[in-house]
Amino acid sequence: MTTKYAGFIGLGNIGRPMAQHLSDSDFPLMVFDSFPEAMASLVEAGAKAASNAAEIAQNCNYIGLCVRDDNDVNDLLYGDQGILENSSAGTLIAIHSTVTQASLLRWASDAAAKDIHLIDAPMTGGANGAEAGTLCYMVGGESTQIEQCRAYLNTSAAKIIHAGNLGAGIALKLCNNLITYSQFTAMSEATRLAEACGLSAEVLREVGKENGVINEQMYMFISNRNALAANGDQATIDKYMGPMGLLGEKDLNCALTTAADLQLSLPATEVIRDMINDVFIAKA
């Protein structure tokens, strides 16, 4: 009998440890990444490397996608070498990427036409949570499909929240990201004001921790960013913090696009989207 693998595509700083947890939990694992070197450690641990998305689709009954954006997911799903064209009926695809809700619903509809199941399963917890296996998944889809993927998600999860119907998981993720980036922006500007008034970030944290306004994630963000700013030049800050700022801009664009599709205006989010990259690289 041919072995059916758990498949995983997208082995960045979050996807790689997610895939590693699958492997450590004794799921036969097949992986693919556009950068072959990203697969090396997983192959050494026993995973099988695929040459493209089609090979993943042909050999896996569960596929997790953890790539950057809507375009990356589109490229993997469609075409002669795409997942939808090469998967067997009944295959379950979990989209971990932060994307627009409209894209997610379109992918799921196209998958369903081929009797392929696609759910949204974004997560929060970042690279540290992925390494520790303490991610919080926000999933959308039918209960039967959520239960089918639960064993796979549990390998890297502290909590799995079934947010509701298809698209509810990514909606929850977009809302969570909006709050997170708003907090980072507020923390950045509050710290600038405090320091201009002769106060330290530490005393601001002391008050914020006491009244619950400042959480540890906000404080660590500003501490790490300011430490880089104090000890390095702008090129160093851009190198380490710039990619996160661009990711924030992309994520907030997803939220704004989804809101526009629902005829909802989010003016404050537009402002934060326009400045979030500068917040990360200590220019705002």
Side-chain angles (χ1 to χ4, degrees):
M1 182 176 179
T2 302
T3 299
K4 277 291 186 180
Y5 293 85
F8 204 95
I9 301 178
L11 304 173
N13 65 344
I14 295 177
R16 185 205 54 76
M18 289 169 63
Q20 185 64 62
H21 286 301
L22 282 169
S23 179
D24 292 344
S25 299
D26 295 328
F27 284 106
L29 180 66
M30 182 178 288
V31 295
F32 174 68
D33 193 278
S34 56
F35 295 95
E37 59 271 21
M39 298 186 278
S41 64
L42 289 159
V43 171
E44 288 177 7
K48 181 176 175 59
S51 57
N52 52 35
E55 187 177 356
I56 290 279
Q58 291 159 4
N59 290 280
C60 301
N61 53 14
Y62 169 84
I63 303 170
L65 299 186
C66 190
V67 292
R68 180 177 174 81
D69 55 25
D70 297 53
N71 289 334
D72 285 348
V73 177
N74 266 314
D75 290 345
L76 290 166
L77 290 179
Y78 294 102
D80 291 342
Q81 296 298 307
I83 292 170
L84 296 185
E85 190 65 30
N86 290 278
S87 290
S88 302
T91 298
L92 179 62
I93 303 169
I95 304 296
H96 301 304
S97 307
T98 301
V99 295
T100 62
Q101 190 184 58
S103 290
L104 188 286
L105 295 175
R106 174 171 58 83
W107 299 329
S109 177
D110 291 345
K114 295 177 177 290
D115 199 21
I116 297 167
H117 309 301
L118 187 148
I119 65 167
D120 42 326
M123 59 282 173
T124 185
N128 290 338
E131 290 283 356
T134 56
L135 294 172
C136 174
Y137 285 96
M138 299 155 278
V139 295
E142 296 179 7
S143 295
T144 53
Q145 294 168 5
I146 303 306
E147 290 309 310
Q148 286 174 1
C149 76
R150 187 175 294 275
Y152 300 102
L153 300 182
N154 270 336
T155 64
S156 55
K159 191 175 187 67
I160 299 171
I161 297 173
H162 187 184
N165 294 332
L166 193 68
I170 193 58
L172 188 55
K173 169 67 171 178
L174 295 176
C175 293
N176 181 78
N177 280 0
L178 195 162
I179 293 169
T180 299
Y181 292 121
S182 298
Q183 289 175 327
F184 286 173
T185 302
M187 187 67 187
S188 179
E189 295 201 343
T191 300
R192 289 174 63 205
L193 177 60
E195 291 176 343
C197 292
L199 301 169
S200 69
E202 285 294 334
V203 73
L204 178 62
R205 180 200 187 195
E206 185 177 358
V207 172
K209 188 174 182 180
E210 185 66 27
N211 63 21
V213 169
I214 297 175
N215 60 38
E216 194 64 18
Q217 184 184 33
M218 294 164 67
Y219 178 74
M220 291 306 298
F221 159 69
I222 206 70
S223 297
N224 292 338
R225 188 203 69 177
N226 287 359
L228 278 173
N231 297 319
D233 55 20
Q234 189 61 48
T236 301
I237 301 170
D238 291 347
K239 177 182 178 181
Y240 289 102
M241 302 299 288
M244 289 185 281
L246 293 174
L247 188 65
E249 187 176 323
K250 185 272 295 184
D251 288 353
L252 291 170
N253 270 326
C254 286
L256 288 166
T257 298
T258 298
D261 289 341
L262 298 169
Q263 298 184 318
L264 181 67
S265 174
L266 301 177
T269 305
E270 292 180 9
V271 173
I272 295 167
R273 183 270 317 275
D274 291 342
M275 66 184 296
I276 193 64
N277 191 46
D278 283 348
V279 167
F280 271 88
I281 62 174
K283 289 187 175 180

